[in-house]
Amino acid sequence: MAVHRVAVLALDGVYPFELGIPSRVFGALQDRYTVLTCSVDGGPVVTNADFSVTVAHGPDVLSTADTVLLPPFDLSRISRTLPPGVDEALAAVRPGARIVSICTGAFVLAAAGLLDGRPATTHWAVADVFRSWYPKVALDPDVLFVDDGDVLTSAGAASGVDVCLHLVRRDHGAAVANHVARVCVVPPWRDGGQAQYIEHPVPPASANGTSATRQWALENLHEPLTLTELAAHARMSLRTFARRFNDEVGTSPGRWLIQQRVARARHLLETTDLAVDDIAGQVGFATGTSLREHLHAAIGVSPMAYRRTFRGTGTPTA
């Protein structure tokens, strides 16, 4: 199996946490990925913390990379124009390579014109600035990441883990991605989007939450599960349950249920030989047709096309 080369382009002001995500996630599969960190001139990079980092490579490694990843940099360095040397560095990226940004890294891709006419995301806190500067980009500030084929963008900070795990899942299937998630001690898939992390007033400590009902729903996805049943399980009125659910999860109960059903269906498509109609019944969709419609709406492919693409190639023994 050919080793996939990931080049991480560190810019001045880089956040150390996000800079390390690609090495941590892809590094869990050293037989499948190699991660090379570079700067625009091969020299040290100033971070947004009280230290600098020395990288081992210059921009020449970008021309050999299968995936190029841009971690975020300090908000004070955000500009409508590209930082010095970045234009030349990005020009070295070979055609067909994937380009991925984390958080404010999307500003670099947008300034380079790589996001024009595409869907994208960035940190919710800078979404308004991003939208005003780059109106040609279809910004969605509510999601954790956007996969638009050869260009992927993710939200702030830890969402870099989400998009890197997604790439592993895309490359090698769910079983391998789940193994990496276990090694990194993170969930293989996070539900909801950025909305659940945007600052909201904290509800009183005595208020009942919806987590127990969400867990109950996950254990009973094969059932129809109406909003009335969910609210009754939580011992709340419909209105109170819907409001608290949205506050805690960042989306409506109905939309969340569909997301969970689709996620469970994707897992079964990847790990079993069950027929589409049987999978639909197990995850709570009334018919195979309903599953096909929801899966296509979520990721743009049919169940069989998804199975062919994402069926795991084997589970690591480590």
Side-chain angles (χ1 to χ4, degrees):
M1 179 183 296
V3 176
H4 188 106
R5 290 170 66 88
V6 179
V8 182
L9 177 58
L11 304 179
D12 280 340
V14 67
Y15 286 88
F17 171 69
E18 290 90 328
L19 177 62
I21 287 174
S23 292
R24 193 67 184 93
V25 175
F26 297 117
L29 296 170
Q30 294 184 9
D31 59 329
R32 307 191 189 209
Y33 297 95
T34 183
V35 181
L36 308 172
T37 306
C38 67
S39 64
V40 294
D41 57 6
V45 178
V46 177
T47 73
N48 83 316
D50 61 345
F51 58 86
S52 298
V53 294
T54 300
V55 299
H57 304 281
D60 53 296
V61 301
L62 296 174
S63 64
T64 67
D66 301 298
T67 295
V68 174
L69 197 144
L70 284 112
F73 47 91
D74 191 83
L75 299 180
S76 65
R77 297 177 183 266
I78 291 178
S79 171
R80 293 195 191 197
T81 58
L82 289 172
V86 174
D87 195 15
E88 294 82 355
L90 292 178
V93 178
R94 65 178 181 81
R98 292 187 303 212
I99 301 180
V100 186
S101 69
I102 301 175
C103 191
T104 55
F107 279 80
V108 173
L109 300 188
L114 298 175
L115 298 181
D116 287 354
R118 289 180 177 266
T121 192
T122 189
H123 196 294
W124 60 266
V126 292
D128 290 342
V129 174
F130 187 98
R131 188 178 285 112
S132 67
W133 285 2
Y134 308 111
K136 294 181 180 179
V137 182
L139 184 70
D140 184 352
D142 295 328
V143 297
L144 293 176
F145 62 85
V146 172
D147 181 344
D148 195 38
D150 59 339
V151 176
L152 297 91
T153 52
S154 68
S159 66
V161 176
D162 296 289
V163 74
C164 287
L165 282 175
H166 170 72
L167 288 173
V168 173
R169 188 181 301 109
R170 193 170 117 173
D171 292 343
H172 301 291
V176 175
N178 291 347
H179 164 76
V180 173
R182 287 193 294 272
V183 170
C184 296
V185 198
V186 295
W189 183 271
R190 284 197 292 166
D191 301 321
Q194 288 196 76
Q196 61 187 307
Y197 303 105
I198 298 174
E199 294 177 352
H200 295 290
V202 178
S206 60
N208 293 323
T210 63
S211 60
T213 297
R214 295 199 303 275
Q215 183 59 41
W216 173 77
L218 290 174
E219 295 168 358
N220 293 275
L221 276 182
H222 58 285
E223 300 291 346
L225 297 180
T226 65
L227 178 58
T228 299
E229 290 172 323
L230 294 173
H233 183 275
R235 298 183 180 181
M236 300 179 191
S237 68
L238 290 175
R239 182 175 180 180
T240 298
F241 177 76
R243 176 174 54 79
R244 288 186 180 169
F245 193 101
N246 191 77
D247 287 345
E248 294 175 17
V249 182
T251 190
S252 69
R255 185 175 180 183
W256 179 84
L257 270 176
I258 290 174
Q259 290 172 346
Q260 305 317 304
R261 297 190 200 282
V262 168
R264 183 77 57 84
R266 290 171 65 173
H267 175 74
L268 292 174
L269 285 168
E270 294 171 0
T271 59
T272 74
D273 294 317
L274 290 172
V276 172
D277 286 349
D278 292 335
I279 291 176
Q282 288 199 21
V283 303
F285 287 124
T287 64
T289 299
S290 179
L291 168 56
R292 292 182 183 92
E293 291 175 349
H294 285 294
L295 187 68
H296 192 276
I299 58 176
V301 298
S302 69
M304 297 313 297
Y306 181 86
R307 174 172 272 167
R308 285 193 300 269
T309 302
F310 292 97
R311 188 64 181 263
T313 57
T315 304
T317 58

